[in-house]
Amino acid sequence: MHQLTLAEIARGLADKKFSSEELTKVLLARIAQLDPQLNSFISLTEDLALTQAKAADARRANGESGPLLGAPIAHKDLFCTQGIRTSCGSKMLDNFKAPYDATVVAKLAAAGAVTLGKTNMDEFAMGSANESSYYGAVKNPWNLEHVPGGSSGGSAAAVAARLLPAATGTDTGGSIRQPAALTNLTGLKPTYGRVSRWGMIAYASSLDQGGPMARTAEDCAILLQGMAGFDPNDSTSIDEPVPDYSASLNGSLQGLRIGVPKEYFSAGLDPRIAELIHNSVKELEKLGAVIKEISLPNMQHAIPAYYVIAPAEASSNLSRFDGVRFGYRCEDPKNLEDLYKRSRGEGFGPEVQRRIMVGAYALSAGYYDAYYLKAQKIRRLIKNDFMAAFNEVDIILGPTTPNPAWKLGAKNSDPVAAYLEDVYTITANLAGLPGLSMPAGFVDGLPVGVQLLAPYFQEGRLLNVAHQYQLNTDWHTRTPTGF
Ligand code: GLN
C-alpha cells in the first residue's frame, strides 16, 4: 500500500479497496519502523491522523468525494499547526505550539487530507542539505551517507522512502526543487503569491513560497490544487482564479517551445548531469517540443544577489525571536541586554546567526546602497532576462542542481560551497516565477533532476510537460533499495 501515489490512493478509496484509516495505520507503522534511519520527521501526529482518517472515511460514506479526501500527507515544520509543535527546525521554537493553522494546513485539512506529522528541515529553512536542523541531519534514502538536500529535506526523504505519498515544502531559493532533485521526486515552487504564506514562518518574505512535493507530476497537481488560492490574510497573495491543474496534465507538447539557456552548461555543472539533461531534451523533442538555445546573461550575478537579499530579509524577520516576544528564553538573565543576547545566541544555530549578521550588515547605513540596493537592481535585471526569454519560448529547461547529493558533512566547513549549489534554482525566486523539478536519471546511484521554469501562473504548463515526460520515462518510478 505504501507504494501508492495520491492519484492511486484516491481511486482505491473511491472504489472502497481500503479505508483511509487502514492506509493511515499502515503508513504510521512504516514510519515507526523506517524513519529512525532517515530522521525525516520532527513530530508525528498519530492521534490527529487517525481522527482525520476516520472523519474522511465518514465523509466518503456520506457520498463526498475528492482527490485529497483521506489522503495521508505531512507538513514541513514551518507551517503553523494549531496545538502542535511548529519548530522551524530550531531550538528557538522547540517548545512552540502554534495557536492557529497556516492557511495551507487549514485548506488541506478541509479538503480531507490526513496529517501524519511535521517534517524535518534546515533551521529556519536556511540550507541546502538539511544539516542545519536542531533535530539533526536527514539522510538520503538513496544512500544513507548522503544528504537529501534542503531545506525541505525531511519532506523529500519521507516521500522518496515511501513513508507517505506527498508532503508540503517551501522554496525560498530552491528548497522544494533541490531536495526533490536529490531524492528522485517531483516538486513544484509556484508563482510568488499563488499559495498563501499566512502561518508559514518567514525566512525571506519576498522569496518564500509553499508548494507540493510528490513522486509524480499528477500528484503535484492534486496537492497544489488543495494549496493554491487567494488569501486575504496574506497581503502578497494574488487574486487570480485557480485553474484545474489535473485537467492541464494531458495537453499535447506538439510545438511547445523549450528554451535551454547556454549559461546553464558552463563550468561547475557535472558533465554526467549535463548528459542526462540533454537526454531529457531529446525525450521532449520526440513528444513534439521544439528546442531553442536562449541566454540569461545576468544569471552569474544571482547567487551574490540572493545571498544579500535573503539574509537581509531574514535579519528583519528573525528579530522578533528575542526571548521576550517570541521564542526560547535563556536561564537566569542578568539584565535585559543579557536576556536578548543569550536567548538569541543559544536559541539560533550557527548558520542562522551567520545570515542574521550578513543581513544586518548589508542593511546598515553606509552599506545599504553598496549591497542591498545593488542586489535589488540585479534582481530586476534577472527578471528582465526571463521576460525577454519568455517572449521567445514557452518553457525554460535545465539542470536543477550542478551536482548530485553530496556526502553528509562534506560542505559543512565551507558555507559558500553549499551556496553555489543553488545556482539553478534561486533565479526563479528572485523573479517570482514558477519552477518544477522532476527525475531525469541517476549518477553513481544518486538521482538527478531536470528543472522546468514557466511564465507567471503557468503552473499548469509545468505540470503538463512533466506529466507527459513521466508517461514516457520511468525514472520517477524507481524506488530506493531498502524502502
Ligand atoms: N539553499 C537556499 C538557502 O539556504 C534556499 C533555501 C530555501 O529555499 N529555503 O537559502
Side-chain angles (χ1 to χ4, degrees):
M1 240 196 240
H2 60 268
Q3 288 284 4
L4 298 176
T5 63
L6 281 181
E8 289 163 348
I9 288 169
R11 284 195 287 276
L13 289 171
D15 297 345
K16 300 197 170 47
K17 291 216 174 92
F18 47 83
S19 67
S20 174
E21 188 182 348
E22 281 170 307
L23 174 64
T24 299
K25 284 183 176 160
V26 167
L27 296 181
L28 286 173
R30 202 172 147 76
I31 292 169
Q33 184 203 344
L34 294 171
D35 198 49
Q37 294 178 59
L38 300 170
N39 196 28
S40 64
F41 281 90
I42 290 174
S43 305
L44 287 174
T45 53
E46 292 103 331
D47 294 346
L48 172 69
L50 290 170
T51 307
Q52 287 179 324
K54 284 180 199 157
D57 287 335
R59 282 169 65 180
R60 281 207 186 258
N62 276 331
E64 263 189 71
S65 61
L68 286 166
L69 187 53
I73 59 159
H75 291 294
K76 184 176 183 178
D77 205 18
L78 54 54
F79 285 101
C80 284
T81 40
Q82 188 173 11
I84 295 164
R85 172 164 63 179
T86 301
S87 74
C88 223
S90 182
K91 179 178 179 183
M92 190 51 100
L93 290 174
D94 182 44
N95 66 1
F96 174 59
K97 287 195 171 128
Y100 63 94
D101 279 336
T103 297
V104 162
V105 172
K107 279 173 83 87
L108 289 172
V114 172
T115 303
L116 301 186
K118 306 290 295 289
T119 56
N120 205 340
M121 55 179 285
D122 277 303
E123 186 177 5
F124 282 96
M126 298 175 188
S128 310
N130 216 118
E131 291 182 293
S132 74
S133 170
Y134 174 60
Y135 302 91
V138 177
K139 318 278 164 47
N140 190 324
W142 289 93
N143 183 331
L144 298 173
E145 289 178 4
H146 289 247
V147 302
S151 62
S152 315
S155 290
V159 177
R162 276 62 176 164
L163 304 186
L164 75 175
T168 57
T170 62
D171 192 312
T172 303
S175 284
I176 288 176
R177 292 161 287 156
Q178 185 257 15
L182 301 194
T183 59
N184 208 42
L185 299 185
T186 308
L188 191 152
K189 178 202 101 69
T191 307
Y192 185 77
R194 178 72 296 181
V195 168
S196 169
R197 292 187 299 108
W198 198 70
M200 211 176 94
I201 297 173
Y203 161 17
S205 312
S206 78
L207 303 160
D208 297 343
Q209 187 63 198
M213 303 176 77
R215 297 200 292 273
T216 64
E218 190 181 24
D219 280 7
C220 283
I222 292 171
L223 195 55
L224 179 61
Q225 201 76 47
M227 299 173 77
F230 176 63
D231 180 5
N233 286 332
D234 171 1
S235 60
T236 58
S237 171
I238 298 179
D239 196 358
E240 272 277 316
V242 181
D244 180 343
Y245 293 117
S246 296
S248 69
L249 295 172
N250 294 314
S252 156
L253 304 192
Q254 201 60 47
L256 181 88
R257 298 168 302 166
I258 297 183
V260 181
K262 60 172 190 259
E263 290 82 2
Y264 280 6
F265 295 91
S266 60
L269 176 63
D270 183 327
R272 298 167 301 174
I273 294 188
E275 194 185 326
L276 291 173
I277 300 307
H278 288 306
N279 293 347
S280 67
V281 166
K282 280 185 222 140
E283 195 60 47
L284 291 167
E285 266 184 313
K286 275 195 245 160
L287 299 176
V290 185
I291 312 300
K292 192 172 170 159
E293 186 183 86
I294 58 165
S295 175
L296 297 172
N298 291 292
M299 179 183 154
Q300 52 175 323
H301 307 304
I303 288 185
Y306 172 88
Y307 279 99
V308 168
I309 292 169
E313 293 186 22
S315 75
S316 164
N317 276 325
L318 271 54
S319 66
R320 76 192 69 184
F321 301 105
D322 57 7
V324 177
R325 292 171 299 165
F326 288 99
Y328 166 87
R329 180 178 296 178
C330 68
E331 299 281 343
D332 303 322
K334 285 201 289 291
N335 50 43
L336 186 62
E337 193 180 324
D338 186 45
L339 181 150
Y340 286 147
K341 279 189 179 160
R342 282 205 290 120
S343 295
R344 286 169 69 79
E346 294 166 16
F348 288 133
E351 183 61 26
V352 174
Q353 294 191 21
R354 179 180 300 121
R355 300 213 189 177
I356 290 173
M357 286 191 282
V358 168
Y361 181 83
L363 289 176
S364 57
Y367 296 105
Y368 183 94
D369 287 1
Y371 296 112
Y372 185 72
L373 201 64
K374 192 87 180 167
Q376 291 289 19
K377 288 179 176 168
I378 292 170
R379 183 175 191 174
R380 170 52 62 119
L381 292 176
I382 287 169
K383 180 190 163 173
N384 290 349
D385 283 355
F386 277 121
M387 296 302 99
F390 283 127
N391 281 333
E392 295 175 55
V393 297
D394 305 309
I395 286 270
I396 294 174
L397 180 148
T400 309
T401 63
N403 295 293
W406 57 92
K407 279 211 156 137
L408 284 151
K411 294 188 198 275
N412 278 357
S413 56
D414 183 2
V416 175
Y419 300 169
L420 294 174
E421 293 292 321
D422 300 336
V423 60
Y424 297 113
T425 48
I426 51 180
T427 51
N429 303 78
L430 289 169
L433 293 166
L436 175 149
S437 179
M438 62 181 183
F442 292 81
V443 162
D444 292 338
L446 292 164
V448 167
V450 54
Q451 177 177 247
L452 308 172
L453 303 174
Y456 298 113
F457 294 104
Q458 296 304 319
E459 286 80 4
R461 190 183 295 168
L462 294 174
L463 291 164
N464 176 207
V465 177
H467 182 64
Q468 294 304 311
Y469 179 80
Q470 291 178 345
L471 288 176
N472 290 281
T473 54
D474 68 355
W475 302 119
H476 63 288
T477 65
R478 311 278 173 103
T479 307
T481 321
F483 297 96

